[in-house]
Structure formats: structure tokens, C-alpha cells
Amino acid sequence: MKRQAIAIDGPSASGKSTIARLLADRLHMDYLDTGAMYRAITLFALESGVDPENEEEVNRLLDRVEITFNDGDILVNGKVCTREIRTDEVTRAVSPVSSYKKVREKMVDQQRKIAGDRPVILDGRDIGTVVLPDALLKIFLTASPEVRAQRRLKDDKSSSTMDYQALLVSIKKRDDFDSHRAISPLRPAEDAILIDSSDMTIDQVLEKIQGLWEEKQCTL
Ligand code: DC
């Protein structure tokens, strides 16, 4: 049995969160940004003086960190950190932290609990492959690294101070790390539909996914 869920995976800055949030509004579904959760753990490690490259130390933090959501904000142990998780420092450190087995186990478990059995949209790297393999619709959203760097530059949710060239380098580095890690690497699920949004507007991507979703509903 498939579940009423849309899984949106893809590389960093491919527009997943923007699309997922707008789509959730249109389709009256709940939305969860799973990347924000890995960023929140990374922020907590940095603020606790823990080296994000040190897997054992990061693992030890897991019992002391509680991530919650409230009204569009993300909270770490009760403290709102919606903007703080988007700094360059967190962005640089998040790939190694998100590659640790124990971190992923805890996050995936929490993501499934949050999703429950309501109609949901989740975006991330492993939603279609690991978190919700039974999602009715799976999208793999990409765009060229150059387009993604341009979009990140204009993104007002980002707390980055990087210029275009630095963003491009950072995006390529994260693509490489996320796609080659041992556990749950970034890759499309076998039944995912690939959308390259390099030459598409936000509205065009929304229309496309909404159309695919409506088609899926007819097959039920
Ligand atoms: O989507 P984002 O750029 O905010 O994600 C931050 C990092 O978290 C990204 O480098 C990869 C990781 N991530 C992951 O491993 N699995 C997910 N489901 C979501 C994000």
C-alpha cells in the first residue's frame, strides 16, 4: 500500500524546500524540511564546542539534543534557531554530521514519527529511498550547479555571506560528499520522477508536480 505522501529529494539548493512548502500549501498537506534537522544537530555540535568531524563526540550529543518544530520555526532544546542553521559555518559542517550512522538513525526515526499517517511532503536526500519508500509520488529535483548557486545567492532565507564563486564551489563539494557517503547517499529512488528545473520557473515546477500528484490520485 502506498501512502499519501510526496517525497522530494535532490542536491543542495535545487529548490526543494521552496517547492515543497508552496506545494504543501496548495495541496493542504503538512511539510517537513529534513535538511533543517541535520543542520540543527550541526549547530548544536558547534555551539557545544564539539568538532563536527568527530563522529564519536557528535554521537554522544544525540541524547542531549531535542529538535522540534513550531509554526514554521525549528527549535533546538526549546530555542528557536531558524536563521542560525543557515549560516556558512553550519553549511560547511553539515555534510559530515549527516553522514554519521547514529545521527541518521535518530533523524529518520523522528522524521517518520512526525510524518505519522497524515498526507505529507518531505524533502531531503533519502526520503524516497529510506524515510518514506512507500510514498505515492517521488520526485528527484535537480538543476545545474551554476543555476543553484545563482538561486542561493538570491535566497533571503539563507544567512550566507558567500559570493557566487564561493557558493558554486560549496555546492559542488556538498553534492560530491552527499552522493558518495556510505549510508543513504543522495540518489534517486528507482521509481522517482526526475525533474531538472534549470530552465523552469517555480510556478512551472509546481504545476508539473501537482499534475503528477493528481495523476497518481486517479490511479488509486
Ligand atoms: O537540504 P539542506 O541543504 O538544508 O541539507 C543540509 C544537509 O543535510 C545536506 O548537506 C545533506 C543532509 N541531508 C541528508 O543527509 N538527508 C536529508 N534527508 C536531508 C539533508
Side-chain angles (χ1 to χ4, degrees), residues 2-5 134-138 213 216-217 219-220:
K2 298 280 185 193
R3 55 175 292 158
Q4 287 284 323
D134 51 352
L136 186 58
L137 178 62
K138 299 180 187 177
W213 180 244
K216 289 280 182 191
Q217 299 302 311
T219 63
L220 289 178

Side-chain angles (χ1 to χ4, degrees), residues 34-35 38-39 94-95 98 104 124-126 174 178 181:
T34 62
Y38 291 97
R39 287 173 176 273
V94 66
S95 276
S98 67
R104 298 206 71 82
R125 305 292 188 286
D126 60 340
R174 219 138 57 90
D178 295 344
R181 68 183 180 211

Side-chain angles (χ1 to χ4, degrees), residues 137-141 189-195 208 212 216:
L137 178 62
K138 299 180 187 177
I139 302 292
F140 195 82
L141 188 63
E190 269 174 24
D191 48 350
I193 296 165
L194 247 80
I195 299 179
K208 169 96 187 151
L212 290 167
K216 289 280 182 191

Side-chain angles (χ1 to χ4, degrees), residues 9-13 16-17 33-36 38-39 86 91 94-95 98-99 104 111 123-127 131 152 174 178 181 184:
D9 291 303
S12 55
K16 300 181 303 291
S17 308
D33 173 356
T34 62
Y38 291 97
R39 287 173 176 273
R86 309 267 165 211
T91 300
V94 66
S95 276
S98 67
S99 70
R104 298 206 71 82
Q111 287 156 15
D123 84 76
R125 305 292 188 286
D126 60 340
I127 309 302
V131 183
R152 196 36 59 93
R174 219 138 57 90
D178 295 344
R181 68 183 180 211
S184 309

